[in-house]
Amino acid sequence: MSDREFGGNDDLSLPKATVQKIITEILPSSSGLTFAKDARDLLIECCVEFITLISSEANDIAEKEAKKTIACDHVEKALKELGFEEYVQEVLDVASEHKEQLKTREKKQSKMEQSGLSEEELLKQQQELFRSATDKYNQAP
């Protein structure tokens, strides 16, 4: 089941810099080993193929269950059905860890919150800016 069977999108890839970073973390420079660029490109193709295979199987499972969203459950079942049982626990652990990181991640502040001003103060500033812009517009020849 390659991506060519699903419409032939040759644009599917992973960011080379990200894959290189992962490789570098696995093969520290102190080991003296290097990873050839063509080997990295082959690894990227293999990863894309693997992701396509798993997501296609997970999609089939979700469709059989009349679901419109592929859930972690579907990915877990897909891994098992495709013979990757030994990876399931690690995948579940990483998914759990990711969920925990999302919970503890700082919520981004909106620009309004970042300003430190009250809503009334911001509204007053906005009205003054509008008034100033209107005055400039009306003064133009």
Side-chain angles (χ1 to χ4, degrees), residues 7-8 11 13 27 33 35 45 56 61 67-68 74 87 92 97 116 119 125:
D11 295 335
S13 188
L27 297 175
L33 296 171
F35 210 84
E45 287 182 38
S56 174
I61 293 167
K67 302 288 183 181
K68 293 188 178 198
H74 302 124
Y87 297 105
L92 294 176
E97 184 180 313
E119 198 170 331
Q125 280 185 1

Side-chain angles (χ1 to χ4, degrees), residues 65-81:
E65 295 178 5
K67 302 288 183 181
K68 293 188 178 198
T69 302
I70 297 172
C72 289
D73 239 21
H74 302 124
V75 174
E76 179 184 350
K77 289 176 185 175
L79 286 167
K80 288 178 180 176
E81 286 187 21

Side-chain angles (χ1 to χ4, degrees), residues 33-49:
L33 296 171
T34 58
F35 210 84
K37 287 182 181 179
D38 60 337
R40 179 200 59 206
D41 293 344
L42 178 60
L43 180 63
I44 289 171
E45 287 182 38
C46 291
C47 290
V48 169
E49 192 68 28

Side-chain angles (χ1 to χ4, degrees), residues 64-111:
K64 286 176 189 170
E65 295 178 5
K67 302 288 183 181
K68 293 188 178 198
T69 302
I70 297 172
C72 289
D73 239 21
H74 302 124
V75 174
E76 179 184 350
K77 289 176 185 175
L79 286 167
K80 288 178 180 176
E81 286 187 21
L82 292 169
F84 297 106
E85 297 89 4
E86 69 256 28
Y87 297 105
V88 170
Q89 190 55 53
E90 189 171 348
V91 167
L92 294 176
D93 292 346
V94 169
S96 176
E97 184 180 313
H98 178 69
K99 283 181 185 177
E100 285 304 311
Q101 286 176 352
L102 288 177
K103 287 179 188 175
T104 60
R105 189 173 76 182
E106 278 188 38
K107 179 188 161 205
K108 288 186 178 180
Q109 289 185 328
S110 69
K111 288 187 178 185

